[in-house]
Short mmCIF file of all heavy atoms in Angstrom, two decimals:
data_model
loop_
_atom_site.label_atom_id
_atom_site.label_comp_id
_atom_site.label_asym_id
_atom_site.label_seq_id
_atom_site.Cartn_x
_atom_site.Cartn_y
_atom_site.Cartn_z
N MET A 1 13.50 42.47 -38.18
CA MET A 1 13.96 43.76 -38.42
C MET A 1 15.25 44.17 -37.68
O MET A 1 15.37 43.79 -36.48
CB MET A 1 12.78 44.80 -37.98
CG MET A 1 12.85 46.13 -38.56
SD MET A 1 11.50 47.17 -37.94
CE MET A 1 10.20 46.72 -39.01
N PRO A 2 16.22 44.72 -38.34
CA PRO A 2 17.41 45.12 -37.62
C PRO A 2 17.07 46.10 -36.51
O PRO A 2 16.11 46.90 -36.59
CB PRO A 2 18.29 45.93 -38.70
CG PRO A 2 17.72 45.48 -40.04
CD PRO A 2 16.29 45.09 -39.79
N LYS A 3 17.88 45.97 -35.44
CA LYS A 3 17.53 46.77 -34.21
C LYS A 3 17.43 48.32 -34.41
O LYS A 3 16.43 48.98 -33.93
CB LYS A 3 18.61 46.51 -33.15
CG LYS A 3 18.16 46.91 -31.77
CD LYS A 3 18.99 46.46 -30.64
CE LYS A 3 18.47 46.95 -29.30
NZ LYS A 3 19.45 46.69 -28.18
N ALA A 4 18.32 48.87 -35.22
CA ALA A 4 18.36 50.26 -35.46
C ALA A 4 17.10 50.72 -36.26
O ALA A 4 16.45 51.76 -35.89
CB ALA A 4 19.59 50.73 -36.21
N GLU A 5 16.68 49.86 -37.11
CA GLU A 5 15.47 50.20 -37.94
C GLU A 5 14.22 50.03 -37.05
O GLU A 5 13.30 50.87 -37.09
CB GLU A 5 15.36 49.19 -39.13
CG GLU A 5 14.18 49.50 -40.10
CD GLU A 5 14.05 48.44 -41.12
OE1 GLU A 5 15.02 47.70 -41.45
OE2 GLU A 5 12.93 48.37 -41.75
N ALA A 6 14.23 49.01 -36.19
CA ALA A 6 13.16 48.76 -35.33
C ALA A 6 12.94 49.94 -34.28
O ALA A 6 11.88 50.41 -33.95
CB ALA A 6 13.20 47.49 -34.55
N GLN A 7 14.13 50.46 -33.84
CA GLN A 7 14.09 51.58 -32.95
C GLN A 7 13.50 52.83 -33.66
O GLN A 7 12.70 53.48 -33.05
CB GLN A 7 15.50 51.83 -32.45
CG GLN A 7 15.59 52.89 -31.31
CD GLN A 7 16.96 52.94 -30.72
OE1 GLN A 7 17.94 52.60 -31.36
NE2 GLN A 7 17.09 53.36 -29.56
N ARG A 8 13.93 53.05 -34.84
CA ARG A 8 13.43 54.25 -35.54
C ARG A 8 11.87 54.10 -35.84
O ARG A 8 11.15 55.06 -35.68
CB ARG A 8 14.25 54.30 -36.94
CG ARG A 8 14.13 55.71 -37.63
CD ARG A 8 15.15 55.77 -38.72
NE ARG A 8 15.31 54.65 -39.64
CZ ARG A 8 16.28 53.77 -39.72
NH1 ARG A 8 17.32 53.97 -39.03
NH2 ARG A 8 16.25 52.83 -40.66
N PHE A 9 11.61 52.93 -36.25
CA PHE A 9 10.12 52.63 -36.53
C PHE A 9 9.29 52.73 -35.21
O PHE A 9 8.16 53.32 -35.20
CB PHE A 9 9.99 51.28 -37.18
CG PHE A 9 8.63 50.96 -37.63
CD1 PHE A 9 7.80 51.75 -38.23
CD2 PHE A 9 8.11 49.62 -37.27
CE1 PHE A 9 6.53 51.44 -38.73
CE2 PHE A 9 6.77 49.26 -37.76
CZ PHE A 9 6.01 50.13 -38.46
N GLY A 10 9.87 52.18 -34.18
CA GLY A 10 9.08 52.24 -32.86
C GLY A 10 8.88 53.65 -32.43
O GLY A 10 7.77 53.99 -31.98
N LEU A 11 9.84 54.52 -32.58
CA LEU A 11 9.78 55.96 -32.15
C LEU A 11 8.78 56.63 -33.06
O LEU A 11 7.96 57.47 -32.64
CB LEU A 11 11.14 56.64 -32.28
CG LEU A 11 12.06 56.26 -31.09
CD1 LEU A 11 13.47 56.83 -31.36
CD2 LEU A 11 11.59 56.87 -29.83
N GLU A 12 8.71 56.34 -34.37
CA GLU A 12 7.77 56.84 -35.27
C GLU A 12 6.29 56.47 -34.77
O GLU A 12 5.42 57.29 -34.76
CB GLU A 12 7.90 56.25 -36.66
CG GLU A 12 8.75 57.05 -37.51
CD GLU A 12 9.01 56.21 -38.89
OE1 GLU A 12 8.04 55.54 -39.33
OE2 GLU A 12 10.08 56.40 -39.39
N LEU A 13 6.17 55.29 -34.42
CA LEU A 13 4.80 54.73 -33.93
C LEU A 13 4.40 55.40 -32.60
O LEU A 13 3.29 55.82 -32.42
CB LEU A 13 4.75 53.24 -33.75
CG LEU A 13 4.86 52.45 -35.12
CD1 LEU A 13 5.04 50.91 -34.85
CD2 LEU A 13 3.62 52.68 -35.89
N LEU A 14 5.36 55.52 -31.75
CA LEU A 14 5.03 56.19 -30.43
C LEU A 14 4.67 57.68 -30.58
O LEU A 14 3.80 58.20 -30.03
CB LEU A 14 6.18 56.05 -29.46
CG LEU A 14 6.48 54.68 -28.91
CD1 LEU A 14 7.71 54.68 -28.04
CD2 LEU A 14 5.32 54.15 -28.14
N ASP A 15 5.38 58.28 -31.67
CA ASP A 15 4.98 59.64 -31.99
C ASP A 15 3.57 59.68 -32.66
O ASP A 15 2.78 60.62 -32.30
CB ASP A 15 6.02 60.20 -33.05
CG ASP A 15 5.81 61.67 -33.35
OD1 ASP A 15 5.69 62.53 -32.44
OD2 ASP A 15 5.69 61.96 -34.57
N ARG A 16 3.27 58.75 -33.37
CA ARG A 16 1.92 58.61 -34.06
C ARG A 16 0.81 58.53 -33.02
O ARG A 16 -0.30 59.01 -33.15
CB ARG A 16 1.94 57.40 -35.02
CG ARG A 16 0.68 57.24 -35.88
CD ARG A 16 1.04 56.14 -36.82
NE ARG A 16 -0.09 55.67 -37.59
CZ ARG A 16 -0.07 54.61 -38.33
NH1 ARG A 16 0.96 53.90 -38.49
NH2 ARG A 16 -1.16 54.27 -38.99
N VAL A 17 1.06 57.84 -31.87
CA VAL A 17 0.06 57.69 -30.92
C VAL A 17 0.24 58.79 -29.73
O VAL A 17 -0.46 58.73 -28.70
CB VAL A 17 -0.01 56.36 -30.28
CG1 VAL A 17 -0.34 55.26 -31.32
CG2 VAL A 17 1.33 55.90 -29.47
N GLY A 18 1.15 59.68 -29.96
CA GLY A 18 1.27 60.86 -29.11
C GLY A 18 2.05 60.62 -27.75
O GLY A 18 1.92 61.38 -26.84
N ILE A 19 2.96 59.61 -27.77
CA ILE A 19 3.75 59.37 -26.50
C ILE A 19 5.24 59.13 -26.79
O ILE A 19 5.83 58.43 -26.01
CB ILE A 19 3.15 58.13 -25.62
CG1 ILE A 19 3.01 57.00 -26.47
CG2 ILE A 19 1.79 58.58 -25.06
CD1 ILE A 19 2.71 55.69 -25.66
N ALA A 20 5.69 59.77 -27.87
CA ALA A 20 7.15 59.61 -28.13
C ALA A 20 8.03 60.03 -26.97
O ALA A 20 9.02 59.49 -26.70
CB ALA A 20 7.55 60.44 -29.37
N ASP A 21 7.57 61.07 -26.11
CA ASP A 21 8.35 61.48 -24.98
C ASP A 21 8.40 60.50 -23.87
O ASP A 21 9.13 60.69 -22.94
CB ASP A 21 7.77 62.85 -24.52
CG ASP A 21 6.30 62.71 -24.05
OD1 ASP A 21 5.59 61.90 -24.71
OD2 ASP A 21 5.86 63.47 -23.13
N LYS A 22 7.59 59.42 -23.93
CA LYS A 22 7.55 58.43 -22.92
C LYS A 22 8.33 57.11 -23.29
O LYS A 22 8.27 56.10 -22.60
CB LYS A 22 6.13 58.04 -22.57
CG LYS A 22 5.21 59.15 -22.24
CD LYS A 22 5.49 59.74 -20.86
CE LYS A 22 4.50 60.75 -20.38
NZ LYS A 22 4.62 62.04 -20.90
N ALA A 23 9.11 57.22 -24.33
CA ALA A 23 9.77 56.03 -24.90
C ALA A 23 10.64 55.33 -23.89
O ALA A 23 10.70 54.02 -23.89
CB ALA A 23 10.65 56.40 -26.17
N ASP A 24 11.31 55.99 -23.02
CA ASP A 24 12.26 55.35 -22.05
C ASP A 24 11.60 55.04 -20.77
O ASP A 24 12.26 54.54 -19.83
CB ASP A 24 13.45 56.30 -21.87
CG ASP A 24 14.24 56.50 -23.13
OD1 ASP A 24 14.28 55.60 -23.96
OD2 ASP A 24 14.77 57.60 -23.28
N ARG A 25 10.29 55.34 -20.65
CA ARG A 25 9.62 55.03 -19.37
C ARG A 25 9.27 53.52 -19.35
O ARG A 25 9.10 52.90 -20.32
CB ARG A 25 8.30 55.91 -19.16
CG ARG A 25 8.65 57.41 -19.27
CD ARG A 25 9.03 57.91 -17.91
NE ARG A 25 9.21 59.34 -17.96
CZ ARG A 25 8.34 60.32 -17.81
NH1 ARG A 25 7.02 59.94 -17.58
NH2 ARG A 25 8.67 61.56 -17.90
N PHE A 26 8.87 53.12 -18.11
CA PHE A 26 8.31 51.71 -17.94
C PHE A 26 6.81 51.82 -17.88
O PHE A 26 6.31 52.81 -17.50
CB PHE A 26 8.98 51.06 -16.72
CG PHE A 26 10.39 50.73 -16.86
CD1 PHE A 26 11.37 51.62 -16.54
CD2 PHE A 26 10.76 49.44 -17.47
CE1 PHE A 26 12.75 51.27 -16.76
CE2 PHE A 26 12.18 49.21 -17.67
CZ PHE A 26 13.08 50.04 -17.25
N PRO A 27 6.10 50.73 -18.22
CA PRO A 27 4.61 50.87 -18.20
C PRO A 27 4.01 51.40 -16.86
O PRO A 27 3.10 52.24 -16.98
CB PRO A 27 4.24 49.35 -18.34
CG PRO A 27 5.33 48.84 -19.18
CD PRO A 27 6.57 49.46 -18.76
N ALA A 28 4.64 51.03 -15.75
CA ALA A 28 4.07 51.50 -14.52
C ALA A 28 4.15 52.99 -14.33
O ALA A 28 3.46 53.65 -13.39
CB ALA A 28 4.73 50.79 -13.23
N GLN A 29 5.06 53.59 -15.04
CA GLN A 29 5.27 55.06 -14.98
C GLN A 29 4.22 55.87 -15.88
O GLN A 29 4.26 57.10 -15.93
CB GLN A 29 6.67 55.45 -15.37
CG GLN A 29 7.66 54.84 -14.39
CD GLN A 29 9.11 55.12 -14.90
OE1 GLN A 29 9.55 54.58 -15.93
NE2 GLN A 29 9.87 55.93 -14.18
N LEU A 30 3.39 55.11 -16.56
CA LEU A 30 2.40 55.69 -17.53
C LEU A 30 1.07 55.63 -16.99
O LEU A 30 0.70 54.71 -16.25
CB LEU A 30 2.55 55.10 -18.89
CG LEU A 30 3.52 55.62 -19.95
CD1 LEU A 30 4.94 55.61 -19.40
CD2 LEU A 30 3.37 54.84 -21.22
N SER A 31 0.13 56.61 -17.40
CA SER A 31 -1.29 56.48 -17.12
C SER A 31 -1.82 55.36 -17.90
O SER A 31 -1.27 54.83 -18.85
CB SER A 31 -1.96 57.78 -17.39
OG SER A 31 -2.03 57.93 -18.83
N GLY A 32 -3.10 54.95 -17.49
CA GLY A 32 -3.80 53.88 -18.28
C GLY A 32 -3.95 54.21 -19.66
O GLY A 32 -3.75 53.34 -20.59
N GLY A 33 -4.35 55.44 -20.00
CA GLY A 33 -4.51 55.89 -21.40
C GLY A 33 -3.26 55.84 -22.20
O GLY A 33 -3.18 55.41 -23.32
N GLN A 34 -2.12 56.20 -21.56
CA GLN A 34 -0.82 56.10 -22.19
C GLN A 34 -0.34 54.71 -22.48
O GLN A 34 0.17 54.40 -23.60
CB GLN A 34 0.19 56.90 -21.38
CG GLN A 34 0.07 58.40 -21.40
CD GLN A 34 0.83 59.11 -20.34
OE1 GLN A 34 1.25 58.49 -19.30
NE2 GLN A 34 1.06 60.42 -20.44
N GLN A 35 -0.62 53.83 -21.47
CA GLN A 35 -0.32 52.42 -21.69
C GLN A 35 -1.12 51.76 -22.83
O GLN A 35 -0.58 51.03 -23.59
CB GLN A 35 -0.59 51.63 -20.34
CG GLN A 35 0.44 51.92 -19.26
CD GLN A 35 0.18 50.97 -18.08
OE1 GLN A 35 0.24 49.82 -18.19
NE2 GLN A 35 -0.18 51.58 -16.88
N GLN A 36 -2.39 52.19 -22.91
CA GLN A 36 -3.18 51.60 -24.02
C GLN A 36 -2.71 52.14 -25.34
O GLN A 36 -2.69 51.45 -26.31
CB GLN A 36 -4.73 51.91 -23.80
CG GLN A 36 -5.62 51.17 -24.76
CD GLN A 36 -5.55 49.61 -24.60
OE1 GLN A 36 -4.48 49.06 -24.91
NE2 GLN A 36 -6.60 49.03 -24.19
N ARG A 37 -2.26 53.37 -25.41
CA ARG A 37 -1.78 53.92 -26.61
C ARG A 37 -0.42 53.28 -27.06
O ARG A 37 -0.17 52.99 -28.18
CB ARG A 37 -1.52 55.47 -26.54
CG ARG A 37 -2.87 56.18 -26.62
CD ARG A 37 -2.63 57.64 -26.73
NE ARG A 37 -2.43 58.30 -25.43
CZ ARG A 37 -1.81 59.53 -25.29
NH1 ARG A 37 -1.44 60.23 -26.36
NH2 ARG A 37 -1.73 60.02 -24.06
N ALA A 38 0.35 52.87 -26.02
CA ALA A 38 1.58 52.17 -26.23
C ALA A 38 1.25 50.73 -26.74
O ALA A 38 1.92 50.19 -27.69
CB ALA A 38 2.52 51.98 -24.93
N ALA A 39 0.20 50.14 -26.23
CA ALA A 39 -0.33 48.75 -26.71
C ALA A 39 -0.76 48.82 -28.22
O ALA A 39 -0.48 47.95 -28.96
CB ALA A 39 -1.39 48.30 -25.80
N ILE A 40 -1.33 50.02 -28.58
CA ILE A 40 -1.79 50.24 -29.90
C ILE A 40 -0.46 50.33 -30.82
O ILE A 40 -0.43 49.60 -31.97
CB ILE A 40 -2.66 51.50 -30.18
CG1 ILE A 40 -4.05 51.16 -29.43
CG2 ILE A 40 -2.83 51.75 -31.59
CD1 ILE A 40 -4.92 52.41 -29.35
N ALA A 41 0.53 51.10 -30.39
CA ALA A 41 1.79 51.20 -31.13
C ALA A 41 2.38 49.90 -31.22
O ALA A 41 2.94 49.55 -32.38
CB ALA A 41 2.70 52.17 -30.43
N ARG A 42 2.41 49.09 -30.26
CA ARG A 42 3.01 47.75 -30.35
C ARG A 42 2.32 46.86 -31.33
O ARG A 42 2.92 46.18 -32.12
CB ARG A 42 2.95 46.99 -28.91
CG ARG A 42 3.61 45.74 -28.84
CD ARG A 42 3.48 45.06 -27.48
NE ARG A 42 2.02 44.93 -27.10
CZ ARG A 42 1.60 44.54 -26.03
NH1 ARG A 42 2.44 44.11 -25.08
NH2 ARG A 42 0.32 44.46 -25.76
N ALA A 43 0.98 46.91 -31.44
CA ALA A 43 0.25 46.12 -32.36
C ALA A 43 0.53 46.64 -33.80
O ALA A 43 0.72 45.86 -34.75
CB ALA A 43 -1.28 46.17 -32.10
#
């Protein structure tokens, strides 16, 4: 997938799991629940 499209899609998925505002954070900066939601978005 082209990078711009992947970025747009990635943000859509993070929004879908309720953590779009955490897109620029690193995993250690997130709670366990937020990290698991990021893992769902990644899948």
Side-chain angles (χ1 to χ4, degrees):
M1 197 182 278
K3 195 171 177 187
E5 187 185 337
Q7 188 170 24
R8 197 164 51 244
F9 185 45
L11 285 168
E12 269 172 35
L13 290 172
L14 290 176
D15 185 50
R16 189 169 166 190
V17 299
I19 52 169
D21 59 327
K22 305 287 189 280
D24 297 329
R25 304 274 179 90
F26 290 90
Q29 296 173 294
L30 269 60
S31 71
Q34 290 165 340
Q35 288 186 62
Q36 191 60 296
R37 286 189 277 159
I40 293 172
R42 181 184 56 184

